[in-house]
Amino acid sequence: MIKAIIFDFDGVIVESIDIKTKAFAILFEHEGSDIVNQIIGYHLENSGVSRFEKFRYIYREILKRNLSEDEFQHLCIRFSQLVADAVAAAPFVAGAREFLENYFKTYDFYIASATPQDELERIIEKKNIKRYFKKIYGAPRNKINIVKTILSENALKPEDAVYIGDAVSDYNAATINGVPFVVRMTEDNLLLFKDIKCIRIDDLKNLYDIITSKAYLELEGKLKEAFDFLSAVNQNAYNNIYLLSNLILSKNPSANNFLNRFLRGVNAGTQNIFTIIFKLILYYMKSFVYFIIYILFFVAFRLSGLRYSINPSSKEFVLIDTFFLIDVIQRNNKFEDSYFIGLKEILNNLGKHYAYLPVFYSTKNPLRLFKVFKILKRDKEPVLTEYQLLSSMDMLKIFYFILAYPVNVLMLAKDIKEDSEDLPRLLKSELVSSLGCVSFFNFSRYLQGKKIAELSYEKIKVISWFENQTIDKNLYKGLREGGDKIKIYGSQPFIYSKSLLNILPDENESRFGIVPDKIIVNGQYFIPKNTSLNFVVGPSFRYKKIFTTEIDNRKQKDIIILMPYFVEYIKNILKLLGKADLRNRFFIIKSHPST
């Protein structure tokens, strides 16, 4: 969680780069235009370097003559006279003043500038912004040392801070100290940052959104590194149907520790033969217990009398792949779709032949599931379950999967070549650590997909709640065996953070048949700029009330806080609210439906 923000001053807080460029031109105009152009070029390429260093370089490398101490002092005084008043009168970078005013109580602000300390403090006093900053650092201190000092004196971890700058010297000061960096782009630094990977902003108008939506800014690169690494591993692994059920390979950070360990720099654990044997025993014990419970689910289904009447004469069949929340259905004594809200009514109005393909969530109790089956039957809900689709032969295939799965995982781990990189060693370690996870439920989705593909409809459209998890990949793989008659619409009508790597469809995985034909998202923000996948903007089923509720601005006094899915994010939001000076406002806390 970000606690401190370090700002460069010129070009980040104040639009003052041109002022200093003109000052260099005036100081050396008597040397001729060619020399002035060289000096200005050097100045722009090294913005963020102190004027003291620049004067010495100009005399040594460009003018090719000695710089006396008297001349040096004269240049410093003259330069200060040319720029001080102009910088103090210069406008703020768009959004800078507002950001400082709105968030100086939320974060600790620091200045790290190449402007001389005394001059910098006078300018900040004149601009009436000194109260926003916990401390101001200027030349002759080096920016690398300034950042190091800020971290050490305030007991900050590198990830607790973020550096906003516009020069390569700012980037170096941040990255050498491990601090996330954001560059403010201008015409003068476009070429300098052409090949540097970092977050880019044009001004400070949306700075808060950027540092909160990308909480670990430097991890934008590490997230991509992890994504690309797993994508490369999967090019071989996903040729094996059993490995399609592996949670680590699915890139889901909430289902395993691989990504979190990598981002935090946790070393790979050592796995000996005794650890592996223990994990295997645990896996087989748990899997066989769950397999028996799974068979009891089939018994409960048979006893309930719930069936879906398949009618191929309709030619086109629409299947809604979504979650059925057991607790909610029992509590309400009926099923109400809380994912694709309103879709059922649309399909009914269009006269479509459709059914739900449910993923029953949150029960290991066959009796509870039996009661849900009876509710669905009573209400004549169109439900085509796995318990109707799968046969005894499929049960044998699942049993064989249970036996074979850990062997395939261990073979993959064995084939991973360890080198000096952290990712291969960590993946190998985590694959062994995850052996205890029961995975046959994921594989059963592949078998369900195959059964659906065998249905004798001319066309089948699958509208799927698409989180790109192992259950989705397996289902789509099975469906693809039905050929061109099946079209998969992966619906993502939700808001998500890009740190949830599994949500992001991987183009490289499309060749395995595990990516939808069309991916439907909430808005243009969720469509990648360069992708060969078919993205479209579609309806936000779950957020229907947001778009249909009329708001009377005169009555808006309270603040509603919409909580996310992950507990850590909820804690961070509540901590932030606790720090905010909003004691005169009334908060309504709305939890996520799943929490």
Side-chain angles (χ1 to χ4, degrees):
M1 187 174 181
I2 293 171
K3 300 175 183 177
I5 302 178
I6 305 166
F7 296 91
D8 177 36
F9 188 72
D10 295 301
V12 173
I13 300 294
V14 175
E15 299 281 18
S16 51
I17 295 297
D18 286 347
I19 294 170
K20 296 190 175 183
T21 303
K22 291 174 183 176
F24 274 104
I26 292 170
L27 281 178
F28 294 98
E29 61 185 351
H30 61 281
E31 301 287 351
S33 59
D34 289 344
I35 293 293
V36 168
N37 288 336
Q38 290 182 55
I39 291 171
I40 290 175
Y42 164 72
H43 160 67
L44 293 175
E45 289 176 9
N46 294 274
S47 64
V49 174
S50 75
R51 67 192 65 168
F52 310 133
E53 293 180 48
K54 288 180 179 179
F55 289 147
R56 292 191 174 96
Y57 179 91
I58 289 167
Y59 267 75
R60 184 178 67 253
E61 303 294 336
I62 299 177
L63 299 179
K64 307 290 186 182
R65 61 176 186 258
N66 292 330
L67 175 61
S68 68
E69 185 61 27
D70 288 344
E71 181 65 14
F72 176 74
Q73 293 298 331
H74 171 75
L75 286 170
C76 291
I77 293 169
R78 179 76 176 120
F79 190 92
S80 182
Q81 290 172 341
L82 288 170
V83 305
D85 291 339
V87 171
F92 287 98
V93 170
R97 182 65 182 262
E98 293 79 5
F99 182 82
L100 295 175
E101 174 63 36
N102 291 336
Y103 297 107
F104 78 99
K105 292 181 180 179
T106 305
Y107 306 106
D108 290 334
F109 292 155
Y110 300 88
I111 290 285
S113 175
T115 301
Q117 184 77 34
D118 292 344
E119 181 182 317
L120 179 64
E121 290 183 355
R122 287 197 300 273
I123 292 170
I124 287 174
E125 284 278 8
K126 285 187 177 182
K127 297 198 79 68
N128 194 28
I129 56 174
K130 187 176 181 179
R131 66 191 181 95
Y132 299 134
F133 299 98
K134 187 172 181 179
K135 200 158 185 179
I136 297 165
Y137 297 89
R141 298 191 67 158
N142 179 282
K143 287 188 177 183
I144 295 173
N145 291 330
I146 290 173
V147 176
K148 185 177 181 180
T149 299
I150 291 171
L151 296 179
S152 62
E153 289 186 351
N154 298 280
L156 294 170
K157 300 175 184 176
E159 61 268 24
D160 292 336
V162 62
Y163 192 125
I164 319 295
D166 67 338
V168 175
S169 62
D170 298 318
Y171 172 78
N172 291 335
T175 54
I176 288 172
N177 286 285
V179 172
F181 180 72
V182 177
V183 60
R184 191 258 165 145
M185 298 302 299
T186 64
E187 291 182 2
D188 295 327
N189 65 7
L190 281 174
L191 290 177
L192 298 176
F193 281 89
K194 180 170 69 73
D195 298 320
I196 295 177
K197 292 182 179 179
C198 56
I199 306 298
R200 298 162 187 262
I201 56 175
D202 295 322
D203 50 45
L204 272 60
K205 288 180 181 177
N206 298 314
L207 181 58
Y208 179 76
D209 292 336
I210 288 170
I211 65 175
T212 52
S213 65
K214 296 175 180 176
Y216 298 102
L217 292 167
E218 90 284 11
L219 298 184
E220 188 75 355
K222 293 193 78 174
L223 284 171
K224 187 177 187 304
E225 185 181 353
F227 186 96
D228 290 344
F229 171 73
L230 290 174
S231 178
V233 170
N234 287 345
Q235 294 308 295
N236 175 51
Y238 279 174
N239 288 311
N240 184 333
I241 187 63
Y242 294 104
L243 295 178
L244 205 59
S245 296
N246 186 270
L247 294 171
I248 296 174
L249 299 181
S250 75
K251 311 185 189 78
N252 188 342
S254 61
N256 63 87
N257 295 318
F258 172 76
L259 183 63
N260 289 333
R261 284 177 177 271
F262 173 61
L263 297 183
R264 294 173 182 172
V266 177
N267 293 329
T270 56
Q271 307 289 355
N272 55 44
I273 187 63
F274 298 105
T275 302
I276 294 173
I277 292 172
F278 173 76
K279 292 286 185 182
L280 289 174
I281 293 172
L282 181 65
Y283 164 79
Y284 284 118
M285 288 177 61
K286 289 170 62 177
S287 294
F288 289 138
V289 169
Y290 281 116
F291 184 61
I292 292 170
I293 294 173
Y294 191 54
I295 292 174
L296 292 176
F297 287 167
F298 280 83
V299 174
F301 174 77
R302 298 294 178 190
L303 294 175
S304 72
L306 177 66
R307 296 290 184 279
Y308 178 76
S309 297
I310 295 170
N311 182 15
S313 63
S314 299
K315 294 185 179 181
E316 184 181 83
F317 182 40
V318 179
L319 202 55
I320 307 170
D321 168 40
T322 188
F323 292 96
F324 274 40
L325 307 180
I326 301 296
D327 294 337
V328 176
I329 295 173
Q330 278 199 291
R331 184 171 63 245
N332 297 337
N333 196 31
K334 64 178 179 178
F335 166 70
E336 289 181 319
D337 190 352
S338 58
Y339 289 86
F340 291 109
I341 298 172
L343 178 57
K344 177 180 176 179
E345 288 73 18
I346 293 170
L347 294 175
N348 282 329
N349 291 335
L350 293 173
K352 295 291 184 180
H353 178 53
Y354 73 92
Y356 284 98
L357 179 67
V359 177
F360 291 103
Y361 184 76
S362 77
T363 187
K364 300 179 183 67
N365 186 333
L367 181 59
R368 291 188 68 202
L369 197 56
F370 172 78
K371 292 177 180 178
V372 168
F373 290 152
K374 296 296 286 185
I375 292 171
L376 297 174
K377 182 187 178 187
R378 181 199 68 198
D379 296 341
K380 299 180 180 179
E381 295 288 354
V383 176
L384 179 61
T385 72
E386 61 197 283
Y387 311 109
Q388 180 175 345
L389 288 166
L390 300 184
S391 65
S392 300
M393 183 58 68
D394 292 317
M395 292 298 101
L396 290 176
K397 291 178 182 178
I398 291 173
F399 184 78
Y400 182 78
F401 173 89
I402 293 173
L403 296 176
Y405 171 75
V407 177
N408 285 270
V409 174
L410 288 173
M411 289 175 63
L412 174 65
K414 180 177 176 292
D415 291 340
I416 294 172
K417 295 179 181 178
E418 293 189 50
D419 50 29
S420 59
E421 298 295 323
D422 293 332
L423 282 166
R425 292 199 306 272
L426 187 59
L427 177 59
K428 196 166 188 172
S429 172
E430 289 298 310
L431 283 172
V432 175
S433 295
S434 68
L435 277 177
C437 297
V438 177
S439 300
F440 74 82
F441 294 110
N442 304 319
F443 178 70
S444 76
R445 292 271 286 178
Y446 165 67
L447 298 176
Q448 292 171 50
K450 288 185 67 174
K451 290 294 186 180
I452 293 165
E454 293 171 2
L455 296 177
S456 54
Y457 292 98
E458 290 183 12
K459 292 182 180 180
I460 299 176
K461 292 181 179 179
V462 179
I463 301 172
S464 177
W465 186 267
F466 177 51
E467 296 179 0
N468 204 21
Q469 299 196 61
T470 50
I471 57 172
D472 302 318
K473 296 175 191 286
N474 275 279
L475 176 66
Y476 303 161
K477 182 74 171 179
L479 289 169
R480 295 294 185 203
E481 300 195 6
D484 293 337
K485 77 172 186 178
I486 296 182
K487 295 296 180 186
I488 304 170
Y489 299 84
S491 184
Q492 295 186 333
F494 46 82
I495 296 170
Y496 62 87
S497 164
K498 290 181 180 178
S499 62
L500 295 173
L501 297 187
N502 62 290
I503 300 291
L504 310 174
D506 188 342
E507 292 185 35
N508 295 323
E509 293 179 1
S510 59
R511 73 183 184 90
F512 297 108
I514 58 178
V515 177
D517 297 288
K518 187 173 288 189
I519 301 161
I520 303 154
V521 294
N522 254 338
Q524 291 291 335
Y525 172 82
F526 296 100
I527 299 179
K529 291 181 180 178
N530 299 305
T531 180
S532 62
L533 299 178
N534 188 6
F535 281 85
V536 294
V537 174
S540 298
F541 292 100
R542 267 186 136 175
Y543 306 130
K544 177 181 177 182
K545 289 186 179 179
I546 293 177
F547 298 104
T548 57
T549 301
E550 293 186 11
I551 297 173
D552 187 344
N553 292 329
R554 295 169 298 177
K555 297 180 180 179
Q556 282 186 288
K557 296 179 181 178
D558 304 333
I559 299 175
I560 186 167
I561 309 297
L562 306 178
M563 288 300 177
Y565 178 83
F566 297 102
V567 174
E568 283 303 312
Y569 295 176
I570 295 172
K571 289 180 180 178
N572 288 339
I573 290 171
L574 293 175
K575 286 178 183 177
L576 186 61
L577 290 174
K579 291 182 179 180
D581 187 15
L582 295 166
R583 287 166 291 182
N584 61 329
R585 305 300 295 270
F586 183 78
F587 291 95
I588 300 168
I589 306 294
K590 183 188 182 301
S591 65
H592 187 278
S594 295
T595 60

